[in-house]
Amino acid sequence: MRIKAIPIIIGLLASPIGAQTTVAPKVGRWTVDYAPSSCDIVRARTANRNGLSIQLRPHTQIHEVTLLVPKTKQRDFRELVTVSPAEVDAEFPPEVQVSTTPDKMDQRIATSLTHKQISSAISMGEITVDGRKTGRVTVMTAGLDKAINASRACIDDLAKRWGAPRTWAVDPTPVRDPRSVFRAEDFPPALLDAFKKGMARVLLRLDAAGKVNGCKAIELAGDVRFADRTCEVLAKRGQFKPATNETGEAVPSFLLVPPVHFILE
């Protein structure tokens, strides 16, 4: 059995906690959707331009990104790829999940990018994914900066609905990727016979020392005990640098952890 971080668009598979959906006006060619557990920035694919979808959430530096491209004969698959802009110190190699849209017209190339990578993509004007089966795929980012700015109200509203409004100046940071502290034996023993896999994305409450003193599920696929186990492991093994206020003083904060996948093999 193993614990793995899989960069997929979780909204397609998981049950959000506290669903609520509204739609914001378009920003140029982009649409900002107030989804149940994310703020989705979308530019549709056209006959001569690939599409792009980015799921933004509060209190995290890692975001799910999906390139929308014309359908090919390739079946759904997953593979390691190179991504530009690249993440210099990533603990996990970039990976994509390629799948066909429900209408069978397009393919989704789903991965995850950090906030720094997205900022670099705006400066560069494009995001490129290159893999053996995926091929080389590029999507342009013109106007993405304005769409992200338009999503700020959505992000603030989502944080308030989670009971986690931003009250600090500089974000807390993991000493290492939180997903890297999970081990094969962390699969909940009580679920070994009933579940082959599960997923939990949790919101951590950190004290001024960077210690976990609260944890709740934001998204869940499978039994709630996957979320309980995720919280338990992160409270025990997770290491975080605390947030600071405007004067540099360490203060309590919240941190949204990337999705943790439990897979029994």
Side-chain angles (χ1 to χ4, degrees):
M1 69 188 72
R2 60 193 169 105
I3 308 297
K4 187 179 181 185
I6 302 175
I8 59 176
I9 296 301
I10 298 302
L12 301 174
L13 300 177
S15 300
I17 309 298
Q20 179 178 335
T21 305
T22 58
V23 179
K26 285 191 174 182
V27 182
R29 295 175 176 174
W30 301 85
T31 299
V32 180
D33 291 339
Y34 287 53
S37 60
S38 62
C39 302
D40 298 349
I41 299 175
V42 180
R43 191 185 68 189
R45 187 181 76 81
T46 65
N48 55 7
R49 184 186 66 225
N50 292 330
L52 179 65
S53 172
I54 301 177
Q55 291 186 311
L56 299 177
R57 296 175 175 84
H59 312 327
T60 182
Q61 293 294 312
I62 300 177
H63 308 283
E64 280 77 44
V65 174
T66 300
L67 286 65
L68 301 169
V69 301
K71 181 184 176 183
T72 68
K73 294 182 179 180
Q74 294 273 21
R75 293 187 176 183
D76 295 358
F77 63 91
R78 192 185 311 277
E79 73 168 343
L80 297 179
V81 296
T82 58
V83 175
S84 178
E87 176 66 9
V88 178
D89 299 319
E91 291 190 48
F92 295 98
E95 185 178 15
V96 295
Q97 175 179 298
V98 178
S99 60
T100 304
T101 56
D103 61 12
K104 302 187 183 303
M105 296 296 293
D106 299 332
Q107 274 189 324
R108 295 179 290 226
I109 302 173
T111 188
S112 58
L113 298 180
T114 65
H115 186 74
K116 287 183 179 180
Q117 284 177 287
I118 294 173
S119 296
S120 295
I122 291 172
S123 299
M124 293 170 56
E126 64 183 29
I127 297 171
T128 299
V129 172
D130 195 353
R132 184 179 62 83
K133 294 177 66 176
T134 305
R136 185 177 178 87
V137 178
T138 297
V139 61
M140 310 310 291
T141 59
L144 177 57
D145 54 339
K146 295 180 180 179
I148 290 177
N149 287 335
S151 72
R152 301 299 181 192
C154 172
I155 294 172
D156 290 343
D157 178 68
L158 194 55
K160 291 176 182 177
R161 285 194 276 126
W162 290 351
R166 184 184 178 91
T167 56
W168 57 93
V170 180
D171 289 328
T173 55
V175 174
R176 56 186 298 197
D177 192 309
R179 296 167 294 184
S180 67
V181 305
F182 287 83
R183 306 165 184 164
E185 59 267 26
D186 290 329
F187 197 102
L191 303 181
L192 288 174
D193 294 331
F195 289 87
K196 295 297 184 183
K197 60 183 178 179
M199 183 284 300
R201 186 198 294 268
V202 300
L203 180 69
L204 302 178
R205 186 176 66 225
L206 304 177
D207 64 19
K211 300 294 185 181
V212 176
N213 66 0
C215 178
K216 68 176 181 179
I218 296 299
E219 296 176 32
L220 179 67
D223 192 279
V224 69
R225 283 171 286 187
F226 287 119
D228 294 340
R229 188 60 171 157
T230 301
C231 289
E232 179 185 345
V233 171
L234 290 172
K236 182 179 180 180
R237 304 187 199 129
Q239 294 179 294
F240 309 94
K241 294 180 181 179
T244 57
N245 60 19
E246 292 82 356
T247 62
E249 179 185 5
V251 294
S253 62
F254 292 91
L255 178 68
L256 183 66
V257 176
V260 174
H261 292 257
F262 296 80
I263 303 173
L264 184 62
E265 293 184 334

